Amino acid sequence: MTSDDMKKRAESAKEKQAQYGEDIDLDNYEYAVSEPSEIESIDDVSPEDQSLVREVGFDTSQENVSGSFIQFDTESILADVLLTQEGLEVLPMSQALKQYDWLKEYLWKAVPVDVDKYTARSELEIYNGYFIRAKAGTKIAMPVQSCLIMKKNQTVQNVHNIIIAEEGSELHIINGCATPSNVEQSLHLGVTEFYVKKNAQLTFTMVHRWSEKTDVRPRSAAIVEENGTYISSYALLSPLKSIQTFPKVRLFGSGAKSDLYSIVYGSKKSKYDIGGLLSLEAPRTSGKVISRSIATDSSEIIARGDLVGLSGQTKARLECDGLLISDSAVIRAVPMLAAHAEGAELSHEATVGKVGAEQLNYLMSRGLNEEEATSLIIRGFVKLKVPGLPPALQSSIDDAIKMSLEGGM
Amino acid sequence: MCGNLLETRDLRVEVNGVPILGGVDLEFKPGLVYAILGPNASGKSTLAKTIMGLPEYKITGGDILYNNESILRKTITERAQLGIAYAFQTPPSISGVKLDDFICRICPDYQCKAESDTLMGETCASKNDLYDNFERLGIRNLAKRDLNDGFSGGESKRSELFQVLSMRPKIMFLDEPDSGLDYDSLKVVGRELRTLREKGDTTLVIISHHRYVLEFLEVDKVYILQQGRLVYTGDMSDIPALEEKGYEKFLSEVIG
Ligand SMILES: Nc1ncnc2c1ncn2[C@@H]1O[C@H](COP(=O)(O)OP(=O)(O)O)[C@@H](O)[C@H]1O
Ligand SMILES: [Mg+2]
């Protein structure tokens, strides 16, 4: 599709409301007016900003990573690859599009541009983001870290990312997003498209910390080819104004696999509408959608999971568990299963409830007081173990969870 | 006055409005070993859970005294801290809480510092003790598992026993600690309890249907409950006859 066609399709969807989530008036925000400038090195990032990115797990020493990317609003960008890391590319999207003509084919391929007004608007305004690619056969053991920071008031951070794990490659990305708490009202539009080629493995770990005035509308999707594996884990532990996201993974080639994990710690008056869809399109594809939600204060959490079995010999499972800590909070678990082919084995389990009296009494009989017992149950509940994740990334998740529990309880 | 560690006086208990215990008087002295026996549904577990303070067991009359003071107003936690422990028959599973961490948490002896996942490869003397004890109980495989999650019947028994032992209580109620155990595990449990008895500073109250552990431990006193009442008080010498005749015949002979 030419870029004119793309713009036309985007125009046509400009007013199209999203399937889920509260509607946002996109004209209330300012958009970038020029292409972002480049930051030469991490040393040029101010100490305050360095500590901000560290909060979402960014390693400013860059010792244990293979590459780094930071974007402030839609204004300035740092992109860096360890010199010794062969087969890895980390580029600002604007540069990558100039450099690689073929990359256009990947734009809006996994996420259709006309999904809703957010994708449409993202296309129509100036955007940037990252392009990360592991070349065929390369195993990038250390993670690539990427970080998106929003500092400006009343603005939109418009991000479009593309990640490609070429055939037989292995790539691990950790993505942190943050807004400092003094930011007035802002909107994050983040489009991320993942392409996992034959026999490739991609893990994508997100640790996000938004501000109470930020609305977040990520739009992401993945296409996984034959025997490829895509593991996504999302830890969202801070309050925010609202988030609505429903990433879709297409298991396109036979033997493709995908697990989507999320942990949401809801607080204040935040509204979370978070889901995940696995589309099993070829034989022997499989996966899991696992979500844990904890709702405190007056937060509202909707946890959606959708399994679509389009081919036989497929297997997928949905687990939605919610723990309600406050009487004014709400959790809704919405499991959806749709089998369109014989031999699509889909299952789900959803639980939503308060801390169980039986568990509390049991722990109290071992000498813990009620508060200690409750806290132990909550801490246990929020532990999210992601099989297949490198230990360093698992500990980023663990640390973030620990930090937010210590802050919140 | 008479040196009881714990006693129940005319204890009446109901569950969901249904009377279960209809006035039970029992005495437990420091350092002795007791067996509470009786047919299914006679109220043995109810008695132990009521003493532990579990809220669904509502006391409608009588009293529970610990060192001659009523504990009816005490919370479960307070009772546990006083030295009362109960090993559950079917403990609930708690996800994300590893058994070894939990035992560290409840036992004064194991100084296990923070969570084990931050302690990779780190060893300290007490942690080694902990693992020796896991080994001895034959449940080393459970150490890193979530508390009670998918434990088999026999594993559960030994994990409960380990936890309760770790708390160093003054009196422990073991609810069928021997059911579902194979011969080897039975021996392990027997040996643990025997050691405890020899130390002599814990009162053991064992609810059981089996002869093996009771005889191996040489219980001092046997209480038999029937339909929520104490119907017989005896000692170890009654156990063979009980096993041979069954509760119905045995009780009809001794109480007529
Ligand atoms: N939580 C409960 N809810 C309803 N009934 C109960 C509960 N606990 C005990 N009971 C009833 O009380 C009676 C005594 O039970 P229990 O004390 O468990 O007997 P035992 O341990 O001697 O086999 C049984 O009839 C049982 O069904
Ligand atoms: Mg019982």
Side-chain angles (χ1 to χ4, degrees):
Chain A
M1 197 180 312
T2 68
S3 65
D4 279 351
D5 289 342
M6 198 63 90
K7 296 273 183 235
K8 252 182 239 155
R9 271 179 67 189
E11 280 294 343
S12 73
K14 229 180 136 182
E15 304 300 326
K16 186 175 166 189
Q17 285 205 7
Q19 185 182 10
Y20 302 120
E22 237 169 69
D23 191 47
I24 293 171
D25 186 349
L26 293 176
D27 294 331
N28 280 346
Y29 297 88
E30 282 167 32
Y31 295 80
V33 287
S34 60
E35 296 283 337
S37 62
E38 250 179 81
I39 305 170
E40 290 287 322
S41 104
I42 188 78
D43 302 329
D44 300 333
V45 175
S46 74
E48 300 88 77
D49 288 346
Q50 288 206 20
S51 82
L52 187 61
V53 299
R54 272 198 298 270
E55 258 183 51
V56 284
F58 194 92
D59 170 14
T60 44
S61 75
Q62 296 185 286
E63 272 164 17
N64 298 307
V65 297
S66 53
S68 300
F69 179 93
I70 305 181
Q71 177 169 334
F72 292 100
D73 298 299
T74 314
E75 300 226 306
S76 54
I77 282 181
L78 166 89
D80 216 359
V81 174
L82 209 71
L83 290 173
T84 52
Q85 189 62 66
E86 274 176 43
L88 174 69
E89 277 180 295
V90 178
L91 296 172
M93 184 57 80
S94 51
Q95 187 186 330
L97 283 168
K98 278 178 210 139
Q99 197 164 327
Y100 297 118
D101 207 31
W102 51 262
L103 188 55
K104 281 206 278 303
E105 300 302 315
Y106 288 86
L107 268 182
W108 302 115
K109 180 173 154 192
V111 179
V113 67
D114 53 3
V115 166
D116 56 32
K117 63 199 260 187
Y118 306 104
T119 52
R121 194 67 175 231
S122 178
E123 167 65 17
L124 295 171
E125 303 287 345
I126 288 181
Y127 61 80
N128 217 315
Y130 48 81
F131 166 70
I132 301 176
R133 176 161 73 134
K135 292 193 178 149
T138 49
K139 305 239 181 286
I140 320 279
M142 285 197 296
V144 179
Q145 54 180 355
S146 66
C147 204
L148 303 169
I149 305 293
M150 295 172 72
K151 298 198 298 178
K152 285 178 72 181
N153 290 333
Q154 210 63 39
T155 50
V156 173
Q157 182 176 43
N158 188 14
V159 178
H160 195 138
N161 308 313
I162 291 181
I163 293 158
I164 303 176
E166 300 277 17
E167 188 169 331
S169 68
E170 184 183 326
L171 177 61
H172 305 280
I173 299 173
I174 176 154
N175 166 266
C177 285
T179 337
S181 45
N182 59 1
V183 166
E184 274 304 312
Q185 183 177 354
S186 53
L187 172 65
H188 173 88
L189 291 183
V191 177
T192 307
E193 301 184 88
F194 301 90
Y195 300 95
V196 182
K197 301 294 178 74
K198 191 173 166 182
N199 296 324
Q201 280 184 47
L202 172 64
T203 76
F204 192 71
T205 303
M206 292 160 275
V207 177
H208 291 180
R209 186 168 283 275
W210 306 102
S211 92
E212 282 164 66
K213 307 270 174 56
T214 306
D215 288 295
V216 184
R217 293 293 182 274
R219 294 292 178 261
S220 60
I223 297 178
V224 188
E225 294 179 16
E226 198 180 328
N227 292 321
T229 303
Y230 171 60
I231 297 174
S232 148
S233 359
Y234 189 21
L236 175 51
L237 306 158
S238 70
L240 42 59
K241 190 152 170 243
S242 78
I243 181 169
Q244 186 274 313
T245 183
F246 194 64
K248 176 177 177 175
V249 178
R250 292 181 59 193
L251 296 169
F252 188 73
S254 72
K257 221 187 123 205
S258 176
D259 296 335
L260 310 178
Y261 293 86
S262 66
I263 170 97
V264 178
Y265 184 87
S267 58
K268 309 253 174 93
K269 290 180 182 162
S270 317
K271 288 185 165 52
Y272 309 82
D273 186 331
I274 293 186
L277 180 149
L278 293 185
S279 173
L280 302 123
E281 305 181 8
R284 293 185 304 285
T285 55
S286 63
K288 292 198 274 292
V289 178
I290 308 248
S291 79
R292 298 270 172 79
S293 316
I294 300 95
T296 68
D297 305 333
S298 327
S299 58
E300 283 180 39
I301 303 178
I302 303 176
R304 301 177 198 274
D306 197 352
L307 305 178
V308 183
L310 298 175
S311 159
Q313 278 191 73
T314 56
K315 191 169 178 173
R317 177 163 178 79
L318 202 65
E319 286 174 26
C320 290
D321 293 309
L323 190 61
L324 208 59
I325 309 291
S326 144
D327 284 330
S328 28
V330 190
I331 300 179
R332 265 198 290 160
V334 188
M336 294 170 270
L337 307 180
H340 298 266
E342 202 180 319
E345 216 181 295
L346 311 176
S347 65
H348 82 85
E349 183 194 287
T351 62
V352 176
K354 298 202 165 190
V355 172
E358 198 197 356
Q359 293 183 326
L360 269 183
N361 294 334
Y362 177 72
L363 295 178
M364 286 167 68
S365 81
R366 300 287 134 95
L368 276 61
N369 66 34
E370 187 167 349
E371 209 173 292
E372 292 166 335
T374 307
S375 141
L376 190 68
I377 292 168
I378 296 171
R379 275 158 205 273
F381 181 84
V382 301
K383 272 196 190 152
L384 187 70
K385 288 281 168 267
V386 182
L389 204 60
L393 297 186
Q394 177 70 58
S395 35
S396 296
I397 296 179
D398 297 346
D399 292 350
I401 291 172
K402 215 167 146 202
M403 229 167 69
S404 66
L405 285 187
E406 274 157 16
M409 285 167 46
Chain B
M1 281 181 313
C2 45
N4 285 331
L5 176 63
L6 189 140
E7 61 182 292
T8 65
R9 286 198 187 154
D10 192 31
L11 187 65
R12 290 161 194 274
V13 174
E14 60 179 48
V15 181
N16 298 330
V18 181
I20 309 289
L21 296 184
V24 175
D25 295 271
L26 295 176
E27 299 182 343
F28 303 99
K29 297 198 188 306
L32 296 189
V33 180
Y34 296 83
I36 299 183
L37 310 179
N40 290 328
S42 55
K44 305 180 295 294
S45 297
T46 299
L47 176 79
K49 290 180 197 171
T50 306
I51 292 171
M52 193 68 246
L54 300 186
E56 53 288 29
Y57 298 86
K58 198 166 162 256
I59 296 176
T60 53
D63 207 346
I64 305 169
L65 305 182
Y66 185 78
N67 286 327
N68 299 317
E69 279 184 42
S70 173
I71 55 165
L72 294 194
R73 292 179 164 279
K74 299 215 180 288
T75 63
I76 304 176
T77 310
E78 287 166 334
R79 295 181 198 203
Q81 286 168 353
L82 278 175
I84 302 172
Y86 171 63
F88 283 60
Q89 235 178 322
T90 44
S93 72
I94 318 267
S95 70
V97 177
K98 295 204 182 83
L99 180 59
D100 62 349
D101 291 336
F102 187 61
I103 287 179
C104 284
R105 174 94 187 246
I106 61 176
C107 171
D109 286 358
Y110 304 114
Q111 305 289 323
C112 300
K113 299 183 198 146
E115 268 120 47
S116 68
D117 33 13
T118 58
L119 278 175
M120 289 286 288
E122 199 174 319
T123 53
C124 56
S126 53
K127 194 104 183 180
N128 285 338
D129 285 352
L130 175 71
Y131 284 105
D132 287 347
N133 293 337
F134 266 116
E135 207 75 63
R136 210 179 55 249
L137 284 162
I139 49 171
R140 178 68 177 80
N141 61 313
L142 302 181
K144 291 279 168 220
R145 296 250 304 263
D146 282 1
L147 194 51
N148 303 327
D149 186 27
F151 291 7
S152 77
E155 286 175 339
S156 230
K157 295 292 163 193
R158 282 172 286 164
S159 141
E160 283 295 292
L161 180 64
F162 192 6
Q163 292 177 46
V164 166
L165 290 172
S166 299
M167 293 168 70
R168 316 203 160 273
K170 291 268 180 280
I171 181 167
M172 56 172 80
F173 290 82
L174 303 173
D175 205 343
E176 305 195 17
D178 46 6
S179 70
L181 292 184
D182 58 34
Y183 291 114
D184 302 315
S185 312
L186 209 53
K187 273 195 192 141
V188 169
V189 168
R191 252 189 278 126
E192 288 302 315
L193 295 177
R194 176 100 201 188
T195 311
L196 198 64
R197 173 190 184 67
E198 277 156 12
K199 278 194 204 148
D201 45 16
T202 310
T203 302
L204 284 170
V205 184
I206 296 165
I207 298 169
S208 175
H209 294 291
H210 304 290
R211 190 170 165 176
Y212 175 84
V213 169
L214 301 178
E215 290 192 336
F216 186 72
L217 271 180
E218 302 177 52
V219 297
D220 297 302
K221 208 164 200 181
V222 171
Y223 292 127
I224 301 181
L225 298 188
Q226 192 180 29
Q227 292 175 4
R229 287 170 191 276
L230 176 66
V231 290
Y232 180 77
T233 304
D235 60 32
M236 215 177 61
S237 63
D238 294 314
I239 291 175
L242 247 176
E243 188 183 59
E244 191 193 312
K245 297 174 181 164
Y247 286 114
E248 203 178 329
K249 184 141 181 268
F250 178 86
L251 289 173
S252 71
E253 281 177 20
V254 293
I255 44 185

